[in-house]
Amino acid sequence: MSADLGFVHRYLPGEDESSPTLLLLHGTGGNEEDLIPLGQELAPGAAFLSPRGKVSEYGAPRFFRRLAEGVFDQEDLLLRTHELAEFVEAASAEYGFDRSKLVAVGYSNGANVAASTILLHPGLLKAAVLFRAMVPFEPDLTPDLSGMPVFLAAGRMDRMIPPDNTQRLADILDEAGADVDLRWRDTGHPLTYEEVGEAKEWLSEVLPKLSSAQDRGK
Ligand code: MLT
């Protein structure tokens, strides 16, 4: 655990310099340790950057404040999203990971802050796996997310995340040009093994393309 760079976090280097980096964003009540096993399952050999949300909801860490379930404190969300983006930039300078291969993996509240980061800092994240995500805010201006691969995994019986809200997020991302892969399952809020398997397969196709995009730019 490291407390510098503004967030308590873990950083685990990848197998080699060309490894992608997964930004792991936990759900409400989680911490920087929680998603590391998930990251290792999804992308073995990748580097992992895993911050702990700075907001405490009765002791449960979150990435931004909410006023009620599914009702977000928009001012705090904006501030915390910018803070997270600054942390990612500082961490890339500190640890030397390749930002052209930075992929967010978020669950629930972590998926929502990832969605907010995608909308407010287009280009920072090169791809994203969002488990149980909803619309963080309705953007006034449509960002340019041309070709950004985004995997969304949603549960039709999720009582925290209304299905039409996840659909709306997919539409916003799609209208911005992202390459959205929205998968539905007859399941609730907790993540299932099947979805982890699907996300792993999706990443195994997306990650090499991020590498080759960078190699072409050399
Ligand atoms: C949120 O607050 O981000 C969502 O309602 C899901 C969660 O509780 O993490």
Side-chain angles (χ1 to χ4, degrees), residues 3 25 36 39 67 84 100 107-108 117 128 134 141-142 151 162 169 175 180 182 186 189 213:
L25 300 164
I36 289 177
L67 307 173
L84 182 66
S100 70
Y107 170 67
S108 195
T117 306
M134 59 192 283
L141 297 172
T142 304
F151 179 94
L169 175 62
E175 282 157 26
V180 179
L182 170 57
D186 287 331
H189 199 60

Side-chain angles (χ1 to χ4, degrees), residues 96-107:
F97 61 78
D98 183 352
R99 273 174 47 186
S100 70
K101 293 179 203 164
L102 180 63
V103 177
V105 173
Y107 170 67

Side-chain angles (χ1 to χ4, degrees), residues 174-196:
D174 182 65
E175 282 157 26
D179 185 359
V180 179
D181 190 338
L182 170 57
R183 313 267 180 110
W184 289 100
R185 279 190 169 266
D186 287 331
T187 186
H189 199 60
L191 201 50
T192 65
Y193 287 113
E194 290 80 8
E195 291 166 294
V196 173

Side-chain angles (χ1 to χ4, degrees), residues 5-86:
L5 309 177
F7 278 76
V8 173
H9 67 279
R10 294 266 327 259
Y11 176 74
L12 276 71
E15 217 159 54
D16 57 54
E17 278 185 1
S18 66
S19 301
T21 298
L22 264 48
L23 173 65
L24 302 173
L25 300 164
H26 64 78
T28 300
N31 65 28
E32 66 282 9
E33 304 292 340
D34 276 19
L35 296 195
I36 289 177
L38 174 67
Q40 285 165 336
E41 172 62 25
L42 289 175
F48 302 108
L49 178 64
S50 187
R52 184 193 304 177
K54 284 161 81 163
V55 166
S56 169
E57 187 182 80
Y58 305 108
R62 285 178 51 85
F63 285 96
F64 55 87
R65 252 176 257 287
R66 63 179 163 182
L67 307 173
E69 209 169 272
V71 183
F72 303 147
D73 178 334
Q74 292 295 324
E75 205 178 311
D76 191 62
L77 171 62
L78 194 72
L79 175 96
R80 302 291 175 187
T81 304
H82 292 318
E83 266 183 1
L84 182 66
E86 276 169 28

